[in-house]
Amino acid sequence: YIAMLIQAAIDGGLDYEIASQLNIKYISLSEKKNFSSELEQLEIDILYDLSQRVKKIKREGNTKFVRDCKDFILENIFKELKISDIAKYFNIDSKYLSRRFKKETKETIKNYINRKKVEEAKRIMQSSNMSIIDIAFNLSFYDQSHFTKIFKEFAGTTPRQYYKKIKSK
């Protein structure tokens, strides 16, 4: 039931990463319920939460096209993502893609890609002991210093400092 609700929310525009985190949270909550009445109430709460999130996304005004672009970026986060390649995939002009993405999201597509790569790097750091250079390589940064620069821009700290912080907890 939770998986079906999560998939419906993704189809409605909920970010895949957020949906994955919510899925884990909801499953964990369901495992703590002992009575069917508690599970029924949780189902209602989950449905309400997801519908409110999708409603908010719809209000933000991203069209299906931009949501599809975001999904494409997330599905290819480990590849070198060039605007021209994304535009080619959707069979549109690069400049048109850039303008439309920026108009709808208030963020450049390159900024969005870098932000999502940093979020993925942080997830990798939290769940593994992979080296910083390997993380940078896997996320298709051309060198470690470029990765560090982008990481610091979005995370407010260097990858090494972030690693130390999460590993000391």
Side-chain angles (χ1 to χ4, degrees):
Y1 178 76
I2 292 171
M4 289 184 335
L5 290 178
I6 291 290
Q7 186 58 54
I10 291 169
D11 292 346
L14 185 63
D15 185 79
Y16 181 81
E17 299 165 27
I18 293 169
S20 296
Q21 293 168 358
L22 288 172
N23 188 45
I24 293 166
K25 174 186 167 186
Y26 295 152
I27 289 171
S28 175
L29 287 171
S30 70
E31 290 172 344
K32 295 176 184 171
K33 303 300 178 190
N34 297 319
F35 302 103
S36 61
S37 60
E38 292 176 328
L39 278 173
E40 288 171 9
Q41 184 58 51
L42 179 62
E43 289 173 1
I44 292 167
D45 293 344
I46 291 169
L47 181 58
Y48 179 77
D49 180 42
L50 290 173
S51 65
Q52 291 302 306
R53 290 172 186 269
V54 170
K55 184 177 177 182
K56 181 180 177 201
I57 290 165
K58 298 294 184 187
R59 275 195 314 263
E60 291 173 356
N62 287 350
T63 61
K64 180 172 179 359
F65 171 72
V66 169
R67 288 193 313 267
D68 288 347
C69 287
K70 287 180 173 182
D71 288 343
F72 178 83
I73 290 165
L74 296 177
E75 290 166 6
N76 293 281
I77 200 71
F78 293 102
K79 296 178 182 174
E80 181 181 355
L81 289 166
K82 295 180 183 174
I83 296 169
S84 59
D85 295 333
I86 298 167
K88 186 176 181 180
Y89 177 83
F90 288 102
N91 199 29
I92 59 169
D93 180 68
S94 297
K95 290 180 182 178
Y96 173 76
L97 170 63
S98 295
R99 279 192 312 271
R100 186 162 173 192
F101 194 92
K102 171 92 185 222
K103 181 180 179 186
E104 288 190 36
T105 65
K106 311 295 186 248
E107 177 177 35
T108 66
I109 197 164
K110 189 66 179 166
N111 197 65
Y112 180 81
I113 292 167
N114 285 334
R115 184 167 53 84
K116 291 302 178 181
K117 283 185 179 275
V118 168
E119 288 172 10
E120 185 62 30
K122 288 165 77 175
R123 256 191 299 290
I124 292 169
M125 289 177 187
Q126 291 168 358
S127 62
S128 78
N129 289 320
M130 190 181 290
S131 72
I132 293 169
I133 190 72
D134 286 341
I135 294 170
F137 176 76
N138 283 320
L139 287 167
S140 298
F141 284 93
Y142 54 84
D143 65 26
Q144 186 174 344
S145 66
H146 180 240
F147 171 66
T148 299
K149 178 184 174 210
I150 298 297
F151 190 95
K152 187 168 184 175
E153 179 182 334
F154 288 94
T157 185
T158 67
R160 190 165 317 287
Q161 291 167 333
Y162 184 81
Y163 240 145
K164 284 181 185 175
K165 181 176 137 187
I166 62 170
K167 296 302 178 187
S168 67
K169 290 183 180 182

